[in-house]
Amino acid sequence: MAEELLLLKEETVSIAARDEQPISEAPSNVYVITDEDIRHSGATDLPTVLRRIPGIEVIQMSGAQFDVSARGDNQPFTNKMLVLVDGRSIYDDIQGEVYWKAIPVTLPEIKRIEVLKGPASSLYGFNAFDGVINIITKSPEKMKGMTLQFRGGEFGTISSAAIQAGTIDKFGYRLSVGRDQNNQWRDRDALAFPSHKFNARTEYSLLTDSRLIVSGGLVDVNRFDGPITGAVSASTTFTDGYADVLYERPDFFVRSYWRGFNPSSDFGFNPQLSPFFRSSDLNGKTTGDLFANTYNVDAQHSVELPKANHLTYGVNCRHNSVSSNFVDQYSQEDRLGFFLQDEWRVTQSLTAVAGARYDLHTEMNPTISPRVALLYSAARDHTFRLAISVAYRPPTLFETHVSEMTTVPSLDSILRRVIRLGATMLILKRSYHRTRRGTKVGS
């Protein structure tokens, strides 16, 4: 009987309103993947898990690089899906990408994945253009003891993890290490990437309903076959570290985190286009080094108002900086956002949601992102939702400060090769027609 009740219990989500609520009351299109779904899928990486979600599109450019988007907006080097781990952004603001094969968490640590499809800047601001994916990890209490996992497959695929977790009175901890790898498509004997992960998370219960969480980790990738764009591909090595401090209560939280990202890339042309270019077309710039830092502080508070109104408001402040031989100078930017949302239960079956966010950015004009939604429960387990929302993606520091002359072939060089290719095709076509005219066709 208890198992049947558990199966009938409705999933709760926090991604749509940044407050825990039943999925049927969420004012956005939300999908949930549980840890059981991940385990039964047999997947060795998260993009493979996300393929099962309607409306989510996953393309794989190499043995290492994935691009994930929603509602037909996919492309190489896609940059419009905000990705979070326990509410902390792992979207790279500097270059506008997510390294899906180097997510700083191992698969056994994941409690569930919440996916919001559609514009979500009214609450999340920066980069939540196609939607938001929030990867929620398990608490130390949930993972007590030692957990070991090993998965493998073709192309040298390995996904492994070792996790130790426990609680001591009001204190909880979770330590994890992992290694993932697989080989290249074009060379089954060469690694596309190997990643080594280390994470530590501690929790301390201050009162019955509040806790302090301190976490940190590092991902080291000594080879990454990508990223690959239209004409240029790269072989990259990088380290990605973070430190996060969070204080939370049921109706309030404040968090601060730092992220340091240090990739080094050797650039070349897409193998399919390389016959038409020379390495000199990169103007001598074949290696790019980058040092990037992100500092973030955000806070949120929720209050219950008269007449069945639930008000949520908050603030977010972020500072990004980058130094690289591929940008024109040491560059930095500041972002500041304020958001407000009200959920009004008009009747037992009708709920109205309205909210907006105001963002300031050093590289662009102030931006307002509104959202309005109506939810009508016609009957048990049947809810109709009508929603309108607006989102935006600010320019990355690379888009505003990259020195293009050092990263792409010159226009003259491209035109010469296009003309050469056209002339070659014309000669081949004429040769083919001459051959056809000199050939006798009979029965």
Side-chain angles (χ1 to χ4, degrees), residues 38 43-46 49 105-110 149 151 159 161:
I38 297 173
T44 58
D45 53 51
L46 286 178
V49 176
V105 63
T106 61
L107 287 179
E109 294 176 272
I110 298 175
Q149 186 179 90
R151 299 182 181 188
S159 176

Side-chain angles (χ1 to χ4, degrees), residues 53-66:
I53 301 178
I56 292 294
E57 297 163 343
V58 179
I59 60 174
Q60 189 170 3
M61 300 296 295
S62 70
Q65 182 186 347
F66 283 90

Side-chain angles (χ1 to χ4, degrees), residues 320-336:
N320 292 316
S321 64
V322 60
S323 61
S324 171
N325 61 333
F326 270 37
V327 296
D328 53 12
Q329 60 185 353
Y330 174 78
S331 303
Q332 52 189 337
E333 64 179 7
D334 294 299
R335 305 178 179 187
L336 178 64

Side-chain angles (χ1 to χ4, degrees), residues 171-341:
F171 177 78
Y173 69 92
R174 190 187 73 218
L175 304 174
S176 68
V177 294
R179 174 184 168 87
D180 299 328
Q181 72 168 55
N182 61 259
N183 292 345
Q184 297 178 4
W185 291 349
R186 61 185 180 275
D187 185 355
R188 295 178 68 107
D189 297 323
L191 283 175
F193 86 101
S195 70
H196 304 85
K197 305 176 183 181
F198 171 77
N199 284 283
R201 173 183 171 118
T202 61
E203 298 182 4
Y204 186 77
S205 298
L206 300 173
L207 299 171
T208 56
D209 61 349
S210 65
R211 58 180 178 167
L212 178 67
I213 301 174
V214 179
S215 59
L218 178 70
V219 179
D220 179 71
V221 179
N222 55 36
R223 180 185 179 92
F224 188 89
D225 189 19
I228 297 173
T229 61
V232 178
S233 63
S235 177
T236 306
T237 63
F238 63 86
T239 57
D240 189 358
Y242 76 94
D244 184 21
V245 179
L246 168 67
Y247 169 77
E248 65 176 2
R249 301 196 312 259
D251 59 351
F252 172 80
F253 78 79
V254 59
R255 91 178 314 145
S256 176
Y257 69 80
W258 160 84
R259 182 190 182 192
F261 187 52
N262 178 24
S264 178
S265 302
D266 291 324
F267 291 94
F269 292 105
N270 188 314
Q272 295 177 331
L273 300 177
S274 58
F276 306 106
F277 299 97
R278 297 188 300 265
S279 59
S280 60
D281 291 325
L282 288 171
N283 296 322
K285 287 285 187 178
T286 57
T287 300
D289 294 311
L290 183 147
F291 299 90
N293 288 283
T294 295
Y295 301 90
N296 185 91
V297 177
D298 56 331
Q300 177 182 306
H301 186 220
S302 299
V303 293
E304 297 293 338
L305 298 178
K307 298 184 179 179
N309 281 268
H310 181 79
L311 181 68
T312 301
Y313 62 94
V315 61
N316 172 223
C317 180
R318 185 174 301 174
H319 174 79
N320 292 316
S321 64
V322 60
S323 61
S324 171
N325 61 333
F326 270 37
V327 296
D328 53 12
Q329 60 185 353
Y330 174 78
S331 303
Q332 52 189 337
E333 64 179 7
D334 294 299
R335 305 178 179 187
L336 178 64
F338 305 90
F339 63 89
L340 179 74
Q341 177 172 280

